[in-house]
Amino acid sequence: MREGGRQNQQIKRNQSQSSSPGANRSSQPTAAETPRSNAAPAKTGNPDVTHSQTVGVRGPVLVQDTALHETLGNFVSSTTLPRRIHTKGYGAFGYFRTTHSMKEYTKAGFLQTPGQQVPVAVRFSLAAGNQGTPDTLRNVRGFSTRFYTDEGNFDLLCNHLPVFFVRDAIRVPDVIAHLSPSPVNNLADPERVWSMFAKYPEATNMLVWFFSDLGTIKSLRHIRGYSVSTYVWQNAQGVRRYVKYIWISAAGQEYIDRKEAQQLACKDPNIAGRDLYDSIAQGKTVEYELRVQLMDPEDAKTLPFDPLDDTKVWDEARYPSIPVGQMVLNRNPDNYTEQVEKLAFNPANLLPGLEFSDDKILQGRTFIYSDAQRHRLGPDYRNIPVNKQPGWSPASMVSSGEGRHISGEIMRAEIPNPDNFTQAGQRYEAFSDVEKKNLADNIASELVAAQPDTQRAVLRNVEQASPALAEAIRKQMPLYTQK
């Protein structure tokens, strides 16, 4: 306070001296001492806010400059917090048109009559990594769609691979930690990734899918989308069926091998997003067919696996996919932040006739997504235009499974029939010779960087799925160990 008082007195003395006719003007005053009479004349009307408010031309800047405060405050607060996973993504808009009535299976309004059409918003993403992660590197691609229907918003969250690493949501944070960079140096750590496959035998099926060439793509227009989790459809008569959703690209499915993925990562790390945006900008449409697999819940008693297990697929010979409708993406975002980054998807955004099952992964996701969106976008995130649902209230949320009678002992337990390896072996045998060779090579090229104990554990799991695949990996690993 004393220092400030002396400075104010000095400014007043300088003002007095400079205003007198005989004052010596040969030496220029400092910025803090610039006389009021030398300042720019006051302006009327709208103030000039292209400059900070200062004492004199050179400053200092005044704390009272609320225009400066608001400008900088808005700037630092304008960046949306990134998603914890699926950080890097791209968006597009269009419509979904029902082509086949689903009235027999669900009472969802927009699926009743062929020709019904609703707007959609889609976000494609990379599950692991950050904004700088190349589009082509081995990854899981997210494929999330929002249907804006008369009954409310329906969010369908899919991945481009049909299975997941684990079957219980309580294990997901640990899986994400294993797939994240090292906390020591923020670099990719192969040991962290492979110790996850060693730790969770249930991830063996995902390992076969993930390290096949399906794990590397260069175009989002040529991927499939799978709900992975099992949902429930209920019709007007109250009959419930298990359902899995599948998006099939009208342009066909394409993927690339590891070498091309690495080359394209250097040439254009955003190639998939650029391809999506440029295609739509050139007037082309990006189209997908929606199909579903349906199952009577009673079938779970006779299947060799749990149909609610996210590490499993359903046999299409027994549960064929049936066509539902067509999605056409024909518009790019006008404002990426407002329309894509602020899209707040939630599996709990359901409609009457569309419910979630007892799938443990899905059950965990149904409430944590709302918490994540509140943290990322604020408690008012539902009023952001791209998330807006007229008349929404907590009562709008569909209470899934209403009317069911459930009883049993509360416990924490593994499912009765985990069968961690059969489908992984079947998937390997379904590959062509080239696909088998590439799978073994893809695994071997990265497994060599893991610790010996981890390598042995992973190969033990693979061997239970397919001795032939385990042997092929062992033969390939020395080629990379020598490099």
Side-chain angles (χ1 to χ4, degrees), residues 9 92 95 105 107-108 110 120 136 208 266 268 302 327 343 408 468:
Q9 292 172 4
Y95 62 88
Y105 310 112
K107 59 185 176 182
F110 78 107
V120 296
T136 59
V208 173
C266 298
D268 184 357
T302 59
M327 180 167 68
L343 261 173

Side-chain angles (χ1 to χ4, degrees), residues 61-381:
V61 174
L62 297 182
V63 175
Q64 73 172 23
D65 189 355
T66 53
L68 172 64
H69 180 211
E70 287 296 314
T71 301
L72 296 183
N74 288 338
F75 169 71
V76 299
S77 301
S78 63
T79 301
T80 302
L81 289 176
R83 291 169 168 84
R84 177 63 181 84
I85 55 177
H86 291 273
T87 305
K88 184 180 183 181
Y90 307 101
F93 302 88
Y95 62 88
F96 174 83
R97 180 175 59 245
T98 300
T99 56
H100 296 74
S101 173
M102 295 292 110
K103 187 175 183 178
E104 179 183 352
Y105 310 112
T106 176
K107 59 185 176 182
F110 78 107
L111 297 178
Q112 300 300 295
T113 307
Q116 287 179 278
Q117 189 167 299
V118 296
V120 296
V122 175
R123 184 176 187 267
F124 299 97
S125 58
L126 275 65
N130 53 43
Q131 293 288 3
T133 301
D135 290 349
T136 59
L137 291 193
R138 191 169 308 283
N139 217 317
V140 177
R141 277 80 185 176
F143 186 156
S144 295
T145 305
R146 168 164 294 164
F147 301 79
Y148 297 94
T149 81
D150 292 339
E151 295 178 292
N153 296 344
F154 168 50
D155 290 351
L156 177 58
L157 283 69
C158 296
N159 286 337
H160 93 291
L161 299 177
V163 295
F164 194 59
F165 298 93
V166 290
R167 60 174 66 98
D168 193 320
I170 204 167
R171 299 176 182 176
V172 171
D174 187 51
V175 169
I176 300 304
H178 279 282
L179 297 175
S180 299
S182 166
V184 176
N185 56 19
N186 199 39
L187 298 175
D189 184 355
E191 175 63 20
R192 289 170 66 84
V193 175
W194 287 108
S195 62
M196 184 264 293
F197 285 108
K199 181 178 183 179
Y200 296 114
E202 67 201 77
T204 306
N205 198 17
M206 182 60 167
L207 185 151
V208 173
W209 283 90
F210 186 67
F211 279 93
S212 73
D213 286 342
L214 285 174
T216 46
I217 63 100
K218 66 177 180 181
S219 171
L220 298 168
R221 297 182 297 111
H222 295 88
I223 65 172
R224 289 192 172 190
Y226 300 90
S227 63
V228 182
S229 293
T230 299
Y231 291 76
V232 166
W233 273 9
Q234 181 185 180
N235 65 15
Q237 292 71 44
V239 177
R240 285 186 169 91
R241 293 175 177 85
Y242 289 152
V243 58
K244 281 181 177 284
Y245 298 88
I246 306 171
W247 290 111
I248 298 178
S249 170
Q253 189 176 22
E254 293 181 3
Y255 48 88
I256 57 179
D257 62 27
R258 185 179 81 254
K259 293 180 180 178
E260 185 177 0
Q262 292 170 344
Q263 292 170 351
L264 291 174
C266 298
K267 182 178 180 181
D268 184 357
N270 304 308
I271 188 171
R274 194 181 314 281
D275 172 72
L276 176 69
Y277 185 92
D278 288 350
S279 295
I280 295 175
Q282 292 165 8
K284 302 175 184 176
T285 58
V286 179
E287 302 180 14
Y288 305 86
E289 180 185 33
L290 180 63
R291 288 177 166 260
V292 293
Q293 289 178 282
L294 296 168
M295 178 189 294
D296 184 338
E298 289 297 311
D299 288 4
K301 299 176 182 178
T302 59
L303 289 173
F305 64 93
D306 188 334
L308 305 186
D309 180 352
D310 282 21
T311 70
K312 303 295 190 296
V313 296
W314 297 356
D315 182 5
E316 287 217 29
R318 182 171 179 181
Y319 302 103
S321 62
I322 61 175
V324 178
Q326 178 190 36
M327 180 167 68
V328 177
L329 302 179
N330 55 13
R331 181 167 62 87
N332 282 317
D334 302 313
N335 185 315
Y336 178 83
T337 298
E338 294 298 320
Q339 296 174 304
V340 180
E341 281 310 282
K342 291 186 179 180
L343 261 173
F345 291 104
N346 187 345
N349 286 339
L350 298 170
L351 304 175
L354 309 179
E355 303 179 0
F356 50 80
S357 71
D358 296 338
D359 180 320
K360 288 185 178 181
I361 291 286
L362 182 57
Q363 291 265 324
R365 296 166 68 202
T366 55
F367 60 85
I368 198 61
Y369 274 67
S370 293
D371 290 347
Q373 306 298 6
R374 276 188 282 269
H375 170 71
R376 192 172 68 89
L377 300 171
D380 201 38
Y381 74 91

